[in-house]
Amino acid sequence: MTEVLQFAEPASVQDLSRYIGRARRIQEQGIRVQGHGYVLAAWVPVMTPSSLVGRLPAVLGLRTMALSEESYADVTAEFSAFSERIARLGPADTALSLPVARLNAPWAAVTPPRAGWQHIGTIEDDELRTIADNGVEAVTTAVPDRAGAAVVEQVRESVWSAPLTASSLQAHPRSSEAEASDSRGRQEGGTSESLEVPSGAAFGAQALGFLRPAGSQGQTEIHAQGRWVRLTSAGGHILCRRTLG
């Protein structure tokens, strides 16, 4: 396994640093990096259910960076393990050693499919931003002072598991491959009509800085594979399981 990542340019190292900084403002469950040839995939959890029966959707963030040398690695570690190494690099350095200490995180064991994705629609970035901001306000308003963990979890589940709706959401015609994907989703316990995109996906895209600036007419593409949905924005991807109605 690769022990040192060779980035294509210094800017990619700083890009990873900024990505880690945004993710740490959301949670402290670590980061998973996977080297696949000349591409580095950096995964972070945006939100995860507290139990197997929890309604809070599992939402993951993904950003990719270019490498100058082939890499084969799969490492999950604390944010600090990466940020401290990056801090010791010079402005022109492109080699980043992987942390020795590894993190055993349940969320990192969930890997979305790599193939079979079907384009199902688009949504304006400004609408995603509005949905995310409204959700944050709803959670803040609904949680009473000194609320216990159970109450906070219930509020978050109610807000972020709600189906994402927007006036700019444009659905694309279904292909035969997409219908086959839906058939696989039905075998997992749902129907194509009951599967929804959780609002937590909008929160992830906003919090990780994936959306284009407000008013720039940016758009996010939506893809689906079975019960999985992927939001692809200018700055990265949000992946989550669509909730069952």
Side-chain angles (χ1 to χ4, degrees):
M1 186 178 73
T2 302
E3 296 297 335
V4 178
L5 298 174
Q6 298 288 344
F7 286 85
E9 55 184 355
S12 296
V13 181
Q14 298 308 314
D15 182 29
L16 177 61
S17 180
R18 287 190 295 271
Y19 180 55
I20 289 174
R22 293 190 182 105
R24 293 190 77 169
R25 292 198 292 267
I26 305 172
Q27 49 77 28
E28 282 286 353
Q29 298 182 58
I31 181 173
R32 179 186 184 186
V33 297
Q34 293 177 300
H36 298 289
Y38 292 92
V39 177
L40 179 71
W43 299 86
V44 296
V46 175
M47 58 183 69
T48 55
S50 59
S51 67
L52 293 177
V53 296
R55 291 176 52 241
L56 189 69
V59 179
L60 305 177
L62 169 64
R63 185 160 173 79
T64 59
M65 297 103 183
L67 301 173
S68 62
E69 296 182 4
E70 285 191 279
S71 173
Y72 298 94
D74 191 343
V75 173
T76 303
E78 299 281 357
F79 285 127
S80 58
F82 282 94
S83 58
E84 290 172 0
R85 282 169 169 74
I86 294 175
R88 292 195 292 267
L89 298 179
D93 291 339
T94 57
L96 178 66
S97 61
L98 291 170
V100 176
R102 308 294 160 83
L103 184 65
N104 184 17
W107 67 265
V110 179
T111 303
R114 296 183 184 176
W117 293 95
Q118 299 296 322
H119 189 205
I120 62 172
T122 59
I123 185 173
E124 292 182 3
D125 286 4
D126 284 347
E127 293 232 30
L128 285 174
R129 184 177 292 104
T130 298
I131 292 170
D133 290 343
N134 290 343
V136 171
E137 183 179 359
V139 171
T140 303
T141 302
V143 174
D145 294 339
R146 300 181 182 179
V151 174
V152 174
E153 184 75 2
Q154 289 177 359
V155 172
R156 295 181 70 228
E157 287 180 349
S158 176
V159 172
W160 298 126
S161 66
L164 186 156
T165 58
S167 60
S168 70
L169 183 59
Q170 300 177 11
H172 284 230
R174 306 293 285 167
S175 65
S176 59
E177 291 83 0
E179 294 298 335
S181 179
D182 274 348
S183 177
R184 290 192 293 271
R186 286 192 288 271
Q187 294 175 6
E188 294 182 13
T191 66
S192 60
E193 290 80 9
S194 66
L195 294 171
E196 304 287 353
V197 182
S199 295
F203 171 77
Q206 161 79 329
L208 293 177
F210 290 167
L211 305 178
R212 290 192 181 278
S216 63
Q217 299 182 333
Q219 289 192 324
T220 288
E221 305 295 329
I222 305 176
H223 295 76
Q225 209 276 47
R227 282 180 57 194
W228 283 95
V229 65
R230 185 185 77 220
L231 274 63
T232 297
S233 307
H237 313 272
I238 294 295
L239 297 100
C240 58
R241 275 185 180 270
R242 294 181 287 182
T243 57
L244 292 174

